[in-house]
Amino acid sequence: MPSAVSRFAKFAAIAALTGATVFASLDDAEARRAGSFGGFGSRGTRTFQAPPVTRTAPAPVAPMERSMTPRPQTPATAQQPLGAQRPGLFGGFGRSMIGGLIAGGLLGMLLGHGFGGGFGFLGMLLQIALIGGAVMLAMRYFANRRQPSYGVGGQSRSYDMSPTNNSSFQIPTIGSGGGFGGQSRGNRPSDEIGLAQADLDQFEELLTQVQTAYGAEDYGTLRRLTTPEAMSYLAEELGENATNGVRNSVSDVKLLQGDIAEAWREDGQEYATLAMRYSSIDAMVERDSGRVVSGDDRRPSESTEVWTFVRKSGADWKLAAIQGAEQRAA
């Protein structure tokens, strides 16, 4: 009987040691997954400023998490290296210390020193369970507070439809008192460059072309339609899909509603940020078999995103950034 208890205690200790190792790396893995879904690209000097809300995207958009634009330093961030992350409750040295104490105690028991008898061992397991449960609850709480964000091909986007015009974008007639997309005079977008209907038509066309090229993994077309920075992030996502043996099938992209959030000039370039809600048939499928892994390859879905375009004088608009927007029920 004592030998059976001893074997069980050793088995439980090994299991607990493995669990402690996995738990120590859980925080970092969760952070990597969350970061992979954030907004990407550049909005010039406004990269880390939230775009104004619009009727199409009335909720705050996802922050720009991946950008080559240097983040402005504040007095709080100036004291630490750029890009450094603050350690969490069990991050850095704290997590290593706790993991070392647990591992040391378990290894000591395996070598015959014990935790002070069977009750000491059970008490140690109970403490680990309580600490682990508290940390998991805290992680879930903060994870639920994160804003959702979407990548290209992940959701559909849209713009304001009008029965009197085939375009999903609408510019009000002079003197009508209406704003773009039917906004009131007091809620007009900050358009410092005077976007014309031809610009809006090009934005709608870019939405369809970029989504279609992404679904077809057409790198050449994506390079032509996007900035080098935006292209690097799209290529990274496509590469990850290929590594995982899947591809993002996107088709039948249709703009439903859109609003200008803001448009401005800086450093010899023009920027335009627009909220767009669109529909598309969007599914993740296995590359070899074509089996649907997620999404629906038959019925269209909708999503709302905020896209930023940039151009130099006399050149065509190009996609510079994408940020997810939270959808609210009507």
Side-chain angles (χ1 to χ4, degrees), residues 214 217 219 234-248 284-288:
Y214 183 88
E217 299 183 339
Y219 286 80
L234 297 178
E236 178 185 352
E237 293 179 0
L238 292 174
E240 290 179 355
N241 289 343
T243 301
N244 295 329
V246 297
R247 63 180 181 85
N248 196 177
M284 194 71 74
V285 300
E286 290 184 347
R287 304 182 75 87
D288 297 332

Side-chain angles (χ1 to χ4, degrees), residues 20-281:
T21 304
V22 173
F23 171 73
S25 61
L26 180 60
D27 190 28
D28 291 338
E30 186 69 24
R32 286 194 296 272
R33 287 197 298 271
S36 66
F37 294 105
F40 66 83
S42 173
R43 298 201 321 125
T45 57
R46 306 187 186 188
T47 296
F48 301 104
Q49 297 177 13
V53 297
T54 66
R55 190 180 66 169
T56 300
V61 303
M64 199 74 75
E65 296 182 2
R66 292 184 291 170
S67 179
M68 297 179 186
T69 302
R71 185 182 293 272
Q73 287 202 359
T74 62
T77 60
Q79 299 176 0
Q80 58 183 9
L82 185 63
Q85 296 183 356
R86 297 178 180 177
L89 178 62
F90 286 92
F93 175 76
R95 184 167 60 234
S96 300
M97 180 183 67
I98 293 176
L101 290 175
I102 295 175
L106 291 174
L107 289 175
M109 189 194 70
L110 291 175
L111 294 175
H113 300 290
F115 273 106
F119 289 103
F121 171 71
L122 293 177
M124 181 274 299
L125 288 182
L126 179 60
Q127 292 181 36
I128 293 177
L130 291 175
I131 294 174
V135 172
M136 291 301 296
L137 288 175
M139 290 173 62
R140 289 187 179 182
Y141 172 77
F142 288 110
N144 291 334
R145 293 174 61 89
R146 292 186 182 129
Q147 291 289 344
S149 50
Y150 312 96
V152 175
Q155 302 283 340
S156 38
R157 307 149 180 77
S158 51
Y159 291 72
D160 203 2
M161 302 296 292
S162 170
T164 61
N165 194 315
N166 292 329
S167 174
S168 299
F169 285 105
Q170 293 297 305
I171 290 191
T173 5
I174 297 177
S176 65
F180 178 79
Q183 293 171 320
S184 65
R185 180 182 294 270
N187 192 30
R188 286 184 176 179
S190 174
D191 181 1
E192 301 174 8
I193 63 180
L195 294 174
Q197 187 65 50
D199 297 313
L200 303 182
D201 292 339
Q202 188 176 0
F203 297 147
E204 183 173 358
E205 185 178 358
L206 281 169
L207 170 71
T208 301
Q209 290 178 340
V210 169
Q211 290 284 1
T212 302
Y214 183 88
E217 299 183 339
D218 186 348
Y219 286 80
T221 299
L222 288 175
R223 289 191 191 95
R224 178 172 57 85
L225 302 176
T226 65
T227 63
E229 179 178 353
M231 177 61 200
S232 69
Y233 295 122
L234 297 178
E236 178 185 352
E237 293 179 0
L238 292 174
E240 290 179 355
N241 289 343
T243 301
N244 295 329
V246 297
R247 63 180 181 85
N248 196 177
S249 175
V250 185
S251 61
D252 296 339
V253 181
K254 182 180 180 182
L255 180 64
L256 303 177
Q257 180 179 331
D259 291 308
I260 301 173
E262 57 183 346
W264 71 99
R265 291 186 180 91
E266 65 175 63
D267 295 333
Q269 297 187 112
E270 295 179 337
Y271 289 84
T273 296
L274 302 103
M276 301 190 287
R277 180 173 60 86
Y278 67 90
S279 67
S280 66
I281 296 179

